[in-house]
Amino acid sequence: MKSYILKNAPTEGNSVRISCPSCASKTFTISKIHGKLLWNCYKASCKIKGSEQMERSKTEIASKIRDTITFYHDAENFTVPDWFTPFTDNVRALNYLKRNNCIDAFENGRARILYDPKQDRVVFLVKENGITYDAIGRSLKPKTIPKWYRYGKSQKLFTAGEHDTAVLVEDSASACAISPVATGVALLGTNMKDADLTQLRKYEHVFVCLDPDATRKALDLQKYLSYFVSTTIIRIDDDLKYYDAQEIKKLLQNSN
């Protein structure tokens, strides 16, 4: 097994999907993250999975340092545009936030939310330790593409709340709705990047709760994250931002 994995191991930060050495199905994935090899067969009846820390080459170490410097350089130079205004200046923005249970997060300091009059978007600022790294805007115009727009170059996830437990969701509004009972973490349409993983590893437990039509994506995330942090999938029939705090609390309790 080990020789097969080493022979087919990808380069740092990448993954490969090949035939499983146990069941022969083409659902065997090997990934290399932070110098650690992770392997798993996604066929339901196959239980092959594992991980092993590998020694990184000088090239891989140098590349990681460059990526980290670039990431923080871009993030720390993000400036909130001066044309952003309070969301209370726009009735549609205010109604959107009320309808999606986001007002409590704003009023209790768990999220900073503004309005972009140029693009007609509700804007959620991506902050950590008092630093604003990025901004995510949700269009208020029907059929606008993209519906969600990232203003900066940061790969950081939007978070709302400071709890030991996190709930990984699709968007910033859902993250705000969750924040009274757990830290809401918005995936924002991205795959798991190194920076994202660093944010998630600090939690005692992570619930993956994506849209009802993203079951396959949720399963893949759960398997990936379970190597680093205790992870559970929550299946729901509707978007989580339409649940109130008590409904979300009950949902998490029933999923433990």
Side-chain angles (χ1 to χ4, degrees), residues 13 37 45 57 65 69 71 86 97 114 145 152 158 173 218 231 241:
L37 282 180
S45 60
S57 67
I65 292 173
I69 292 173
F71 170 75
L97 294 169
L114 297 168
I145 299 176
F158 171 83
T231 311
K241 57 179 166 280

PDB file of all heavy atoms in Angstrom, residues 13 37 45 57 65 69 71 86 97 114 145 152 158 173 218 231 241:
ATOM      1  N   GLY A  13       0.063  20.511  -2.463  1.00  0.00           N
ATOM      2  CA  GLY A  13      -1.132  21.286  -2.755  1.00  0.00           C
ATOM      3  C   GLY A  13      -2.032  20.714  -3.830  1.00  0.00           C
ATOM      4  O   GLY A  13      -3.047  21.317  -4.172  1.00  0.00           O
ATOM      5  N   LEU A  37       0.631  13.482   3.284  1.00  0.00           N
ATOM      6  CA  LEU A  37      -0.096  12.700   2.292  1.00  0.00           C
ATOM      7  C   LEU A  37      -1.389  12.174   2.907  1.00  0.00           C
ATOM      8  O   LEU A  37      -1.385  11.619   4.005  1.00  0.00           O
ATOM      9  CB  LEU A  37       0.753  11.516   1.805  1.00  0.00           C
ATOM     10  CG  LEU A  37       1.847  11.813   0.777  1.00  0.00           C
ATOM     11  CD1 LEU A  37       2.582  10.539   0.424  1.00  0.00           C
ATOM     12  CD2 LEU A  37       1.264  12.454  -0.474  1.00  0.00           C
ATOM     13  N   SER A  45     -18.412   1.106  -0.083  1.00  0.00           N
ATOM     14  CA  SER A  45     -18.113  -0.192   0.534  1.00  0.00           C
ATOM     15  C   SER A  45     -16.639  -0.383   0.862  1.00  0.00           C
ATOM     16  O   SER A  45     -16.264  -1.351   1.523  1.00  0.00           O
ATOM     17  CB  SER A  45     -18.575  -1.325  -0.398  1.00  0.00           C
ATOM     18  OG  SER A  45     -17.905  -1.233  -1.652  1.00  0.00           O
ATOM     19  N   SER A  57      10.506  18.898   0.361  1.00  0.00           N
ATOM     20  CA  SER A  57      11.735  19.300  -0.316  1.00  0.00           C
ATOM     21  C   SER A  57      11.982  20.790  -0.098  1.00  0.00           C
ATOM     22  O   SER A  57      11.082  21.545   0.291  1.00  0.00           O
ATOM     23  CB  SER A  57      11.634  19.018  -1.818  1.00  0.00           C
ATOM     24  OG  SER A  57      10.652  19.856  -2.409  1.00  0.00           O
ATOM     25  N   ILE A  65       6.537  29.385   1.480  1.00  0.00           N
ATOM     26  CA  ILE A  65       6.881  30.679   2.060  1.00  0.00           C
ATOM     27  C   ILE A  65       6.477  31.803   1.116  1.00  0.00           C
ATOM     28  O   ILE A  65       5.899  32.809   1.535  1.00  0.00           O
ATOM     29  CB  ILE A  65       8.396  30.749   2.366  1.00  0.00           C
ATOM     30  CG1 ILE A  65       8.748  29.780   3.507  1.00  0.00           C
ATOM     31  CG2 ILE A  65       8.796  32.181   2.722  1.00  0.00           C
ATOM     32  CD1 ILE A  65      10.224  29.649   3.754  1.00  0.00           C
ATOM     33  N   ILE A  69       3.683  34.757   1.918  1.00  0.00           N
ATOM     34  CA  ILE A  69       4.023  36.177   1.848  1.00  0.00           C
ATOM     35  C   ILE A  69       3.093  36.894   0.890  1.00  0.00           C
ATOM     36  O   ILE A  69       2.570  37.967   1.179  1.00  0.00           O
ATOM     37  CB  ILE A  69       5.498  36.358   1.411  1.00  0.00           C
ATOM     38  CG1 ILE A  69       6.437  35.862   2.521  1.00  0.00           C
ATOM     39  CG2 ILE A  69       5.777  37.821   1.084  1.00  0.00           C
ATOM     40  CD1 ILE A  69       7.893  35.841   2.118  1.00  0.00           C
ATOM     41  N   PHE A  71       0.058  35.975  -0.067  1.00  0.00           N
ATOM     42  CA  PHE A  71      -1.305  35.976   0.472  1.00  0.00           C
ATOM     43  C   PHE A  71      -1.493  37.110   1.466  1.00  0.00           C
ATOM     44  O   PHE A  71      -2.438  37.895   1.361  1.00  0.00           O
ATOM     45  CB  PHE A  71      -1.591  34.634   1.135  1.00  0.00           C
ATOM     46  CG  PHE A  71      -2.862  34.619   1.929  1.00  0.00           C
ATOM     47  CD1 PHE A  71      -4.086  34.564   1.292  1.00  0.00           C
ATOM     48  CD2 PHE A  71      -2.828  34.691   3.317  1.00  0.00           C
ATOM     49  CE1 PHE A  71      -5.260  34.561   2.013  1.00  0.00           C
ATOM     50  CE2 PHE A  71      -4.011  34.700   4.044  1.00  0.00           C
ATOM     51  CZ  PHE A  71      -5.219  34.631   3.390  1.00  0.00           C
ATOM     52  N   PRO A  86     -23.481  52.760   4.953  1.00  0.00           N
ATOM     53  CA  PRO A  86     -24.230  51.882   5.862  1.00  0.00           C
ATOM     54  C   PRO A  86     -25.388  51.211   5.115  1.00  0.00           C
ATOM     55  O   PRO A  86     -26.046  51.847   4.286  1.00  0.00           O
ATOM     56  CB  PRO A  86     -24.742  52.850   6.935  1.00  0.00           C
ATOM     57  CG  PRO A  86     -23.778  53.980   6.909  1.00  0.00           C
ATOM     58  CD  PRO A  86     -23.389  54.144   5.474  1.00  0.00           C
ATOM     59  N   LEU A  97     -31.227  41.736   4.596  1.00  0.00           N
ATOM     60  CA  LEU A  97     -30.569  41.302   5.828  1.00  0.00           C
ATOM     61  C   LEU A  97     -31.582  40.840   6.875  1.00  0.00           C
ATOM     62  O   LEU A  97     -31.339  39.866   7.594  1.00  0.00           O
ATOM     63  CB  LEU A  97     -29.693  42.428   6.380  1.00  0.00           C
ATOM     64  CG  LEU A  97     -28.496  42.795   5.497  1.00  0.00           C
ATOM     65  CD1 LEU A  97     -27.842  44.077   5.987  1.00  0.00           C
ATOM     66  CD2 LEU A  97     -27.478  41.661   5.462  1.00  0.00           C
ATOM     67  N   LEU A 114     -21.956  46.358   5.105  1.00  0.00           N
ATOM     68  CA  LEU A 114     -22.118  47.662   4.477  1.00  0.00           C
ATOM     69  C   LEU A 114     -22.961  47.518   3.200  1.00  0.00           C
ATOM     70  O   LEU A 114     -23.476  46.449   2.906  1.00  0.00           O
ATOM     71  CB  LEU A 114     -20.747  48.275   4.165  1.00  0.00           C
ATOM     72  CG  LEU A 114     -19.846  48.576   5.373  1.00  0.00           C
ATOM     73  CD1 LEU A 114     -18.427  48.890   4.912  1.00  0.00           C
ATOM     74  CD2 LEU A 114     -20.408  49.738   6.178  1.00  0.00           C
ATOM     75  N   ILE A 145     -24.874  38.366 -12.583  1.00  0.00           N
ATOM     76  CA  ILE A 145     -23.766  37.410 -12.571  1.00  0.00           C
ATOM     77  C   ILE A 145     -22.469  38.194 -12.409  1.00  0.00           C
ATOM     78  O   ILE A 145     -22.188  39.112 -13.204  1.00  0.00           O
ATOM     79  CB  ILE A 145     -23.737  36.588 -13.874  1.00  0.00           C
ATOM     80  CG1 ILE A 145     -25.044  35.792 -14.021  1.00  0.00           C
ATOM     81  CG2 ILE A 145     -22.539  35.646 -13.885  1.00  0.00           C
ATOM     82  CD1 ILE A 145     -25.146  35.022 -15.321  1.00  0.00           C
ATOM     83  N   GLY A 152     -11.568  41.681  -3.051  1.00  0.00           N
ATOM     84  CA  GLY A 152     -10.116  41.608  -2.923  1.00  0.00           C
ATOM     85  C   GLY A 152      -9.551  40.298  -3.442  1.00  0.00           C
ATOM     86  O   GLY A 152     -10.238  39.514  -4.107  1.00  0.00           O
ATOM     87  N   PHE A 158     -15.099  33.924   5.028  1.00  0.00           N
ATOM     88  CA  PHE A 158     -15.856  34.846   5.868  1.00  0.00           C
ATOM     89  C   PHE A 158     -16.346  34.095   7.105  1.00  0.00           C
ATOM     90  O   PHE A 158     -16.901  33.000   7.002  1.00  0.00           O
ATOM     91  CB  PHE A 158     -17.063  35.394   5.102  1.00  0.00           C
ATOM     92  CG  PHE A 158     -18.009  36.183   5.963  1.00  0.00           C
ATOM     93  CD1 PHE A 158     -17.758  37.526   6.239  1.00  0.00           C
ATOM     94  CD2 PHE A 158     -19.126  35.582   6.521  1.00  0.00           C
ATOM     95  CE1 PHE A 158     -18.623  38.255   7.055  1.00  0.00           C
ATOM     96  CE2 PHE A 158     -20.000  36.305   7.324  1.00  0.00           C
ATOM     97  CZ  PHE A 158     -19.736  37.638   7.595  1.00  0.00           C
ATOM     98  N   ALA A 173     -24.475  35.261   4.283  1.00  0.00           N
ATOM     99  CA  ALA A 173     -25.747  35.470   4.972  1.00  0.00           C
ATOM    100  C   ALA A 173     -26.062  34.293   5.885  1.00  0.00           C
ATOM    101  O   ALA A 173     -26.495  34.469   7.032  1.00  0.00           O
ATOM    102  CB  ALA A 173     -26.870  35.679   3.956  1.00  0.00           C
ATOM    103  N   ALA A 218     -20.715  18.147  -0.021  1.00  0.00           N
ATOM    104  CA  ALA A 218     -20.658  18.065   1.437  1.00  0.00           C
ATOM    105  C   ALA A 218     -19.916  16.810   1.885  1.00  0.00           C
ATOM    106  O   ALA A 218     -19.107  16.851   2.824  1.00  0.00           O
ATOM    107  CB  ALA A 218     -22.065  18.084   2.023  1.00  0.00           C
ATOM    108  N   THR A 231     -15.543  16.317  12.251  1.00  0.00           N
ATOM    109  CA  THR A 231     -16.452  16.892  11.264  1.00  0.00           C
ATOM    110  C   THR A 231     -17.703  16.040  11.091  1.00  0.00           C
ATOM    111  O   THR A 231     -17.621  14.823  11.023  1.00  0.00           O
ATOM    112  CB  THR A 231     -15.763  17.035   9.892  1.00  0.00           C
ATOM    113  OG1 THR A 231     -14.500  17.667  10.050  1.00  0.00           O
ATOM    114  CG2 THR A 231     -16.616  17.847   8.935  1.00  0.00           C
ATOM    115  N   LYS A 241     -29.999  29.921   6.212  1.00  0.00           N
ATOM    116  CA  LYS A 241     -30.227  31.312   6.614  1.00  0.00           C
ATOM    117  C   LYS A 241     -31.700  31.638   6.854  1.00  0.00           C
ATOM    118  O   LYS A 241     -32.031  32.698   7.380  1.00  0.00           O
ATOM    119  CB  LYS A 241     -29.645  32.284   5.586  1.00  0.00           C
ATOM    120  CG  LYS A 241     -30.132  32.150   4.175  1.00  0.00           C
ATOM    121  CD  LYS A 241     -29.467  33.215   3.308  1.00  0.00           C
ATOM    122  CE  LYS A 241     -29.635  32.944   1.824  1.00  0.00           C
ATOM    123  NZ  LYS A 241     -28.669  31.928   1.337  1.00  0.00           N
TER     124      LYS A 241
END
